[in-house]
Amino acid sequence: MGSLDGRVAVITGAGRGLGREHALLFAAEGAKVVVNDLGGDQQGGGADLTPAQQTVEDIRAMGGEAAVNGDNVTEWDGAKRLIDQAVETFGDLHVLVNNAGILRDRVVVNMTEDEWDAVVNVHLRGHFAPAHHAAVYWREQTKAGREVKAAMVHTSSTSGLFANPGQANYGAAKSGIATMSQIMAKELSRYGVRSNAICPIARTRLTLSTPGFDTVMAEPDTPETFDVFNPANVSPMVAYLSTADCPFTGETFLVHGGSVQRAQSWVLVEEIDKGDRWTVAELAERAPELESKLNIVTGELGFLRLV
């Protein structure tokens, strides 16, 4: 028996890369999968159902059950059709994996309005819209007296957690996704829904579009060498978070190769308190006490960027 036997999952952006690997593993673990992918390029242009259809065909070839969906997850009605399709095709919905995303990297002074809007729309709205409609379904199931053991897994990024230069749009959206996941965990627990986020580090179309990353993330020369950047390395954690009895909710995990690390959320650190309103002069004298003792070098985490 697989760890996901009997569970129905919707996985967005599942035609290629991380999403495809998630879908294949979910099916291997017994889940019925709705493979969603608009089939656009890495900047969000165009549409082609071929990658999603290929994933579905590969799942069926291994004896699994899957259905293809080409709806745009940034569109409210499209996201609802996606969730409805899972229920209508397989009779229920237990898991939503939000993975769809694009890139339009640019430093702030060169970024256009369209570049900002496109990336924030696909990542942040493209996560929220399917999550909203899935949450409505699970709420109605709970109201009808049915036991719900549902899971949502959202895709954040080290760029969102650690601020990568050149990705203000992408980083802001990915940071927002991590926070949104925590909020959903708090709001939806009453309906039997858990929500977690992952920050994957893997070789995908997006990472390989960055100059130099094709070398950094190249496949090993020998087959016996562990390929730490293989996107399939990320999928077992996504599958585990999607199991019926997984206890985690409201967490964010960095997943890279054979490593899984929990990310600590925002925490309050240094403080000064005079018990009354400060003056500017007083703050000029005392505020240096708030300086972090950490020496953070801009771009230090550059090799961790993207998903």
Side-chain angles (χ1 to χ4, degrees), residues 23-66:
L24 293 174
L25 180 61
F26 272 54
E29 290 290 338
K32 300 173 183 178
V33 186
V34 176
V35 176
N36 164 266
D37 203 307
L38 185 61
D41 60 30
Q42 64 195 33
Q43 292 189 329
D48 180 9
L49 266 181
T50 304
Q53 187 60 54
Q54 183 61 58
T55 300
V56 168
E57 290 175 4
D58 290 343
I59 288 173
R60 290 173 178 169
M62 55 192 269
E65 294 185 62

Side-chain angles (χ1 to χ4, degrees), residues 52-305:
Q53 187 60 54
Q54 183 61 58
T55 300
V56 168
E57 290 175 4
D58 290 343
I59 288 173
R60 290 173 178 169
M62 55 192 269
E65 294 185 62
V68 67
N69 177 279
D71 280 306
N72 186 338
V73 292
T74 70
E75 296 176 357
W76 199 251
D77 292 342
K80 187 177 188 306
R81 285 194 298 270
L82 171 61
I83 300 304
D84 289 346
Q85 180 180 345
V87 177
E88 292 165 3
T89 303
F90 298 121
D92 208 344
L93 175 67
H94 306 96
V95 180
L96 170 63
V97 178
N98 278 320
N99 172 73
I102 64 170
L103 278 181
R104 292 192 184 180
D105 289 354
R106 200 85 67 187
V107 295
V108 170
V109 295
N110 291 331
M111 186 174 293
T112 66
E113 181 181 5
D114 286 344
E115 288 166 340
W116 172 272
D117 288 345
V119 171
V120 172
N121 188 49
V122 170
H123 287 278
L124 202 49
R125 183 182 173 93
H127 272 57
F128 174 72
H132 164 81
H133 293 297
V136 169
Y137 171 75
W138 289 321
R139 180 188 63 185
E140 295 309 308
Q141 292 294 295
T142 301
K143 286 183 175 181
R146 300 183 181 91
E147 182 183 21
V148 174
K149 287 189 174 182
M152 292 193 288
V153 183
H154 312 281
T155 308
S156 183
S157 168
T158 54
S159 181
L161 299 189
F162 305 117
N164 197 55
Q167 293 189 309
N169 49 5
Y170 182 80
K174 289 301 192 182
S175 181
I177 286 168
T179 300
M180 182 175 69
S181 176
Q182 293 179 331
I183 293 170
M184 289 180 176
K186 295 175 180 179
E187 290 184 354
L188 301 177
S189 61
R190 72 187 69 180
Y191 306 126
V193 182
R194 294 177 298 102
S195 176
N196 292 285
I198 60 162
C199 294
I201 303 173
R203 184 175 52 250
T204 68
R205 282 195 306 166
L206 299 191
T207 52
L208 294 179
S209 69
T210 303
F213 273 42
D214 56 341
T215 300
V216 173
M217 292 187 166
E219 295 184 33
D221 294 329
T222 56
E224 62 271 15
T225 302
F226 178 48
D227 184 359
V228 296
F229 291 109
N230 188 327
N233 299 333
V234 177
S235 301
M237 185 60 180
V238 177
Y240 167 64
L241 292 172
S242 302
T243 57
D245 297 320
C246 175
F248 289 107
T249 191
E251 300 288 359
T252 298
F253 298 94
L254 192 151
V255 188
H256 173 217
S259 171
V260 178
Q261 185 172 13
R262 188 176 68 87
Q264 187 174 6
S265 189
W266 290 96
V267 294
L268 297 172
V269 284
E270 296 82 8
E271 177 188 20
I272 56 174
D273 185 355
K274 64 170 283 187
D276 201 352
R277 182 182 302 163
W278 291 93
T279 67
V280 175
E282 288 171 332
L283 286 169
E285 179 182 353
R286 294 284 308 281
E289 297 173 28
L290 300 174
E291 274 191 276
S292 171
K293 303 303 186 290
L294 297 176
N295 181 22
I296 300 176
V297 179
T298 300
E300 182 180 3
L301 294 168
F303 78 100
L304 297 180
R305 69 187 296 189

